């Protein structure tokens, strides 16, 4: 349970957050409220899609260099991203609930979080329209989060979700919550490069197409980049899915995610 001073801070932040819905201050005030429940060392905010690559929103106390590294390289290994694409489930998601022994040796935890000097992470995943979610990530550099911290966030999650739903309803369809394309780290410069050994059953052309798919490009853009017709792209996709024994783009991403983890 929250002690009296923490409860007072929570209710104060809630009042401010309610007033901020529908304004540019919404996400910051939501962060303030969440931070009043469980204190992190730093915070990052990212949007996840079930069909497109992540978008950076903002951070507090984090490195722009590491934001750029995440968007250029590490997002494809992010277990929270895989969780959203595979489960489409909002809620409080501790890293430890996603981190198998294999995952702990993988590039997201062993490389990216280690380089970021992060020892533990909790995601607050909120519906953000269409197939998107807003992920507010609480990070600790020294001490991991306790089970009691997760319990406190779960107790308050319905409030976080209701506030964000109210904000989403007030937005115009053209509204973008993400950083502008000119902001540092806002748009990945490079996506994942697939080694031929990862999927030896695919041809070089098919691997090239898969890279573009994993980078979030739609069929029309892929066709333009490869100089082929949209129908040809769809035919390539069908053959790729048949070879990999999958049926959807979501499965393609998860297939890549699991193949890329060390055994």
């Amino acid at each position: 349970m929250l002690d009296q001073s923490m409860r007072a801070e929570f209710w104060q932040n809630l009042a401010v957050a309610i007033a901020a819905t529908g304004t540019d201050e919404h996400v910051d005030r939501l962060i303030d409220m969440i931070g009043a429940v469980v204190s992190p060392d730093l915070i990052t905010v990212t949007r996840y899609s079930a069909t497109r690559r992540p978008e950076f929103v903002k951070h507090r106390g984090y490195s722009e260099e590491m934001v750029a590294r995440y968007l250029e390289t590490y997002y494809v290994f992010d277990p929270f991203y895989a969780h959203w694409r595979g489960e489409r489930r909002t809620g409080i998601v501790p890293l430890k609930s996603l981190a198998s022994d294999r995952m702990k040796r993988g590039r997201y935890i062993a490389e990216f979080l280690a380089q970021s000097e992060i020892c533990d992470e909790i995601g607050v995943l909120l519906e953000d329209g269409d197939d998107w979610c807003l992920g507010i990530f609480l990070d600790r550099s020294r001490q991991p989060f306790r089970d009691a911290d997760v319990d406190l966030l779960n107790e308050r999650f319905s409030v976080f979700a209701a506030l964000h739903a109210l904000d989403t309803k007030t937005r115009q369809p053209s509204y973008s919550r993400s950083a502008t394309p000119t902001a540092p780290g806002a748009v990945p410069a490079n996506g994942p490069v697939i080694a031929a050994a990862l999927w030896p059953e695919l041809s070089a052309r098919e691997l090239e197409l898969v890279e573009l798919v994993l980078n979030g490009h739609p069929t029309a853009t892929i066709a333009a980049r490869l100089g082929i017709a949209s129908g040809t792209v769809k035919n390539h996709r069908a053959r790729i899915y048949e070879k990999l024994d999958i049926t959807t783009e979501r499965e393609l991403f998860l297939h890549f995610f699991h193949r890329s983890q060390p055994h």
Side-chain angles (χ1 to χ4, degrees):
M1 296 293 291
L2 296 175
D3 63 30
Q4 186 172 355
S5 62
M6 291 179 69
R7 282 199 299 271
E9 183 180 3
F10 176 81
W11 290 117
Q12 180 179 0
N13 284 322
L14 174 58
V16 174
I18 291 172
T21 54
T23 76
D24 291 341
E25 295 294 315
H26 165 68
V27 173
D28 280 307
R29 301 296 74 81
L30 193 56
I31 290 171
D32 291 341
M33 190 172 61
I34 293 171
V37 176
V38 172
S39 177
D41 293 322
L42 53 96
I43 290 177
T44 58
V45 184
T46 307
R47 292 181 79 225
Y48 292 146
S49 165
T51 57
R52 287 158 283 185
R53 57 185 175 184
E55 296 178 353
F56 168 66
V57 178
K58 63 174 57 193
H59 64 82
R60 289 186 181 178
Y62 198 54
S63 159
E64 286 286 358
E65 178 184 357
M66 293 310 299
V67 168
R69 288 186 191 180
Y70 172 81
L71 290 169
E72 290 170 2
T73 303
Y74 288 104
Y75 77 90
V76 293
F77 306 106
D78 180 351
F80 294 100
Y81 184 31
H83 168 81
W84 178 251
R85 292 187 70 143
E87 303 292 334
R88 295 284 295 278
R89 189 169 68 245
T90 60
I92 305 301
V93 184
L95 176 62
K96 62 184 177 183
S97 71
L98 305 176
S100 62
D101 289 340
R102 183 180 175 188
M103 179 70 69
K104 290 174 183 176
R105 300 191 300 271
R107 296 191 66 183
Y108 184 79
I109 294 177
E111 289 185 24
F112 179 68
L113 291 190
Q115 293 170 18
S116 302
E117 299 182 352
I118 291 171
C119 73
D120 200 10
E121 191 166 33
I122 298 177
V124 180
L125 303 186
L126 304 163
E127 291 275 4
D128 201 40
D130 295 329
D131 67 349
W132 291 91
C133 83
L134 184 78
I136 298 176
F137 295 97
L138 312 180
D139 297 292
R140 289 267 177 90
S141 299
R142 299 175 184 82
Q143 296 295 325
F145 293 100
R146 302 169 300 159
D147 289 343
D149 295 325
V150 177
D151 291 342
L152 285 172
L153 290 168
N154 275 315
E155 288 176 8
R156 299 295 187 273
F157 178 75
S158 60
V159 178
F160 308 150
L163 274 172
H164 194 61
L166 179 61
D167 180 81
T168 301
K169 288 178 182 177
T170 68
R171 302 297 187 176
Q172 296 295 323
S174 60
Y175 176 77
S176 175
R177 206 179 293 280
S178 305
T180 61
T182 55
V187 175
N190 303 293
V193 176
I194 301 172
L198 186 67
W199 279 315
E201 60 266 60
L202 300 184
S203 68
R205 186 62 150 182
E206 289 168 340
L207 287 171
E208 186 178 11
L209 189 144
V210 168
E211 284 185 4
L212 292 170
V213 171
L214 292 175
N215 273 309
H217 294 292
T219 296
T221 304
I222 294 172
R225 286 189 172 225
L226 298 183
I228 57 179
S230 293
T232 304
V233 173
K234 292 176 182 178
N235 290 337
H236 277 309
R237 275 184 183 256
R239 284 195 293 272
I240 290 166
Y241 290 178
E242 182 179 1
K243 287 182 179 181
L244 300 182
D245 193 25
I246 59 176
T247 58
T248 66
E249 184 176 305
R250 185 181 304 172
E251 289 179 279
L252 178 65
F253 176 89
L254 293 174
H255 204 283
F256 172 76
F257 180 83
H258 291 300
R259 283 278 187 107
S260 301
Q261 300 303 316
H263 294 279

